[in-house]
Amino acid sequence: MDKMIIEGGRQLSGEVQISGAKNAALPIMCSALLTEGWNTYHNIPDLVDIRTIRKLLRSFGAEIEGEGTVVRVNAANLTRCEASYDLVRTMRASILVLGPLVARMGVARVSLPGGCAIGARPVNLHIKALQDMGADVELKDGYVEARTKRLKGANIFFDLSTVTGTENIMMAACLAEGTTVLGNAAKEPEVVNLAEVLNGMGAKISGAGTDVITISGVDRLHPVEASIIPDRIEAGTFMIAVGMTGGDITLKGCNPLHLEALINKLKDAGMDIMPVADGLRVARLGNIRSVDVKTLPYPGFATDLQAQMMALMAMGNGLSVITETVFENRFMHVSELLRMGADIVVQGHSAIVKGNEKLRGAPVMATDLRASASLILAALAAEGRTELFRVYHIDRGYQEIEKKLSALGADIRRVQA
Ligand code: EPZ
């Protein structure tokens, strides 16, 4: 198992290319299951999770080819409709095959994803929506077993905003008989990207990006050539990295419109953020001011940037209250940040962060994808050496993060542990 070694205290400068969004690429690659023929996707990031979904799609009989950031998927000859536990347990987003498989094949057997470090992560809303559309859904031996002759359009209202729930049902509804209306739908840019791709396949979807999405079912979809949007969480992570170390970097290929909540907070914290052609220029010249943060569904502050923001607030000039409203256990990074000299007290869903000047390097352990990102950011600013273990977490969602950070001037390297 690899580890990262980071010598802190180096400012960042230069340009970094933002990769395609993991959380857009995953549902879009699953949408290939809805049709026959070759779909071509551009700007696919090279991540562990992408390799996992490729394996999963292949296990159904789909053909996959591609080099670099272009991936092609042909699901003409599906021979299997079961997503096994050994694959699903490594990536919860595998649940995104459920909707397309039921819609296309009338049957699906998908392992329940189970929880992860940040929470129980139930999929009850996905299941209830499919039942509302007429599917027989059973939970048996840890699997979701769903079958139907043909899904029927329905009026569905999600109890709470669920990103993959919205995506799963939006995909399923494309081939349903009649019209489906999704109320309280997730508004994330990744949902909008998926809707655009589905409409490019001949689907009839309107309202994506708002909390009411309408899908008029069609009999068939055709393959599409499409592009994945840039990864707003990777971009946000690099923006916060400059806040940690000081310096001035340009992020190429990111979309500032997807980052408004973070831009607003980082400006309040004293950073300079300017739109430039094809991205953003981000600088930190003075000290970091402490600000309060509350995570919310999009367009609110992204829960996937909460851990990274907490690392920044550990260097603030006062008190910051960070409240996590989306997941029930997303403060796993706190104990590791404390080992680096941060002053944080967790009270229920909030963490009270008392900013102080100096973080110190230490051996720390990654627990989940975004927590590992926050530890890398803390290490960039800390005095001395940090060794980060279990870096397989970071490889799930960041493409060559140590290479991108080194190119910006950080002293970070990956070694075999
Ligand atoms: C997506 O997860 C993202 N993953 C997550 O990113 C992200 O943190 C999350 O949305 C919130 O933005 C992908 O898109 C692959 P939810 P998802 O359903 O869809 C509860 C990362 O780091 N809920 O929006 O699983 C759930 O427990 C990952 O890239 C139910 O109760 O999240 C949570 O409290 C981490 N029942 C809340 O809703 C359900 O059926 C929001 O979850 C579904 C969800």
Side-chain angles (χ1 to χ4, degrees):
M1 278 207 265
D2 296 354
K3 65 181 177 181
M4 294 281 193
I5 296 178
I6 301 121
E7 300 291 346
R10 310 273 290 263
Q11 290 214 345
L12 299 182
S13 63
E15 246 183 42
V16 59
Q17 181 66 43
I18 298 303
S19 303
K22 164 178 86 80
N23 292 347
L26 292 172
I28 287 169
M29 288 173 73
C30 293
S31 73
L33 293 169
L34 291 166
T35 186
E36 303 177 3
W38 285 100
N39 297 274
T40 303
Y41 306 122
H42 296 270
N43 201 29
I44 296 276
D46 179 16
L47 302 167
V48 167
D49 276 7
I50 298 297
R51 283 173 233 143
T52 302
I53 204 76
R54 288 171 73 131
K55 243 187 268 173
L56 187 58
L57 293 173
R58 277 211 184 90
S59 75
F60 301 142
E63 292 172 87
I64 301 193
E65 57 182 46
E67 52 295 318
T69 60
V70 180
V71 171
R72 305 178 72 238
V73 185
N74 182 350
N77 310 308
L78 294 182
T79 53
R80 195 163 174 267
C81 296
E82 174 165 331
S84 61
Y85 177 64
D86 62 334
L87 266 177
V88 174
R89 70 185 168 83
T90 64
M91 186 184 66
R92 301 191 61 271
S94 310
I95 194 68
L96 284 164
V97 302
L98 179 64
L101 280 178
V102 176
R104 166 89 184 283
M105 308 299 284
V107 63
R109 188 168 187 267
V110 178
S111 166
L112 274 168
C116 70
I118 64 177
R121 311 290 297 275
V123 290
N124 58 309
L125 301 179
H126 301 233
I127 292 168
K128 182 178 178 306
L130 286 174
Q131 289 170 325
D132 291 349
M133 297 176 77
D136 292 326
V137 184
E138 243 189 296
L139 297 187
K140 226 164 89 184
D141 310 327
Y143 279 76
V144 181
E145 297 190 359
R147 53 185 70 248
T148 179
K149 272 176 67 52
R150 185 180 182 187
L151 293 172
K152 292 196 176 17
N155 286 332
I156 290 160
F157 189 85
F158 288 114
D159 289 356
L160 42 79
S161 171
T162 162
V163 174
T164 50
T166 299
E167 291 165 345
N168 229 339
I169 303 308
M170 187 163 72
M171 287 190 278
C174 287
L175 294 178
E177 186 181 356
T179 298
T180 299
V181 178
L182 301 184
N184 198 18
K187 298 182 275 196
E188 273 68 3
E190 294 76 26
V191 173
V192 177
N193 196 188
L194 174 63
E196 287 162 354
V197 170
L198 291 168
N199 281 338
M201 296 167 74
K204 292 188 170 40
I205 301 172
S206 58
T210 74
D211 47 14
V212 180
I213 300 178
T214 304
I215 308 106
S216 304
V218 295
D219 293 337
R220 291 171 70 81
L221 295 174
H222 55 73
V224 68
E225 179 158 9
S227 261
I228 305 297
I229 57 172
D231 193 318
R232 60 195 169 97
I233 305 303
E234 184 194 27
T237 303
F238 279 99
M239 292 167 70
I240 296 170
V242 177
M244 300 297 294
T245 63
D248 184 338
I249 69 170
T250 298
L251 292 84
K252 300 300 284 177
C254 74
N255 183 342
L257 294 178
H258 295 165
L259 286 153
E260 288 183 327
L262 178 68
I263 290 169
N264 178 46
K265 278 298 163 189
L266 292 182
K267 282 182 172 173
D268 287 351
M271 291 180 65
D272 292 313
I273 300 173
M274 295 77 62
V276 294
D278 185 28
L280 275 176
R281 186 171 163 199
V282 184
R284 176 204 138 190
L285 309 170
N287 289 335
I288 286 294
R289 288 194 292 270
S290 294
V291 293
D292 294 340
V293 175
K294 182 175 192 178
T295 68
L296 286 167
Y298 191 87
F301 191 95
T303 175
D304 292 350
L305 288 169
Q306 178 257 104
Q308 300 90 313
M309 193 68 187
M310 189 180 292
L312 183 64
M313 291 298 101
M315 299 178 56
N317 66 348
L319 277 183
S320 157
V321 179
I322 297 182
T323 304
E324 172 58 56
T325 73
V326 177
F327 289 109
E328 66 268 29
N329 185 35
R330 204 168 197 177
F331 286 144
M332 307 282 279
H333 40 286
V334 170
S335 51
E336 299 305 296
L337 288 171
L338 292 177
R339 294 169 47 74
M340 299 179 74
D343 182 345
I344 306 169
V345 173
V346 173
Q347 284 182 348
H349 292 286
S350 292
I352 294 115
V353 185
K354 187 168 180 296
N356 63 33
E357 287 307 301
K358 279 290 154 240
L359 291 172
R360 291 181 309 281
V364 288
M365 182 136 14
T367 51
D368 60 87
L369 168 53
R370 306 305 174 180
S372 21
S374 83
L375 297 175
I376 287 183
L377 298 187
L380 293 174
E383 248 171 34
R385 165 176 293 202
T386 295
E387 292 195 347
L388 174 66
F389 295 90
R390 297 190 179 176
V391 291
Y392 57 84
H393 288 292
I394 197 101
D395 293 334
R396 295 192 46 192
Y398 291 90
Q399 184 170 333
E400 299 181 319
I401 192 166
E402 73 275 14
K403 288 190 183 143
K404 291 187 177 184
L405 285 169
S406 304
L408 292 172
D411 181 347
I412 176 172
R413 58 200 165 88
R414 177 191 294 258
V415 295
Q416 294 279 342

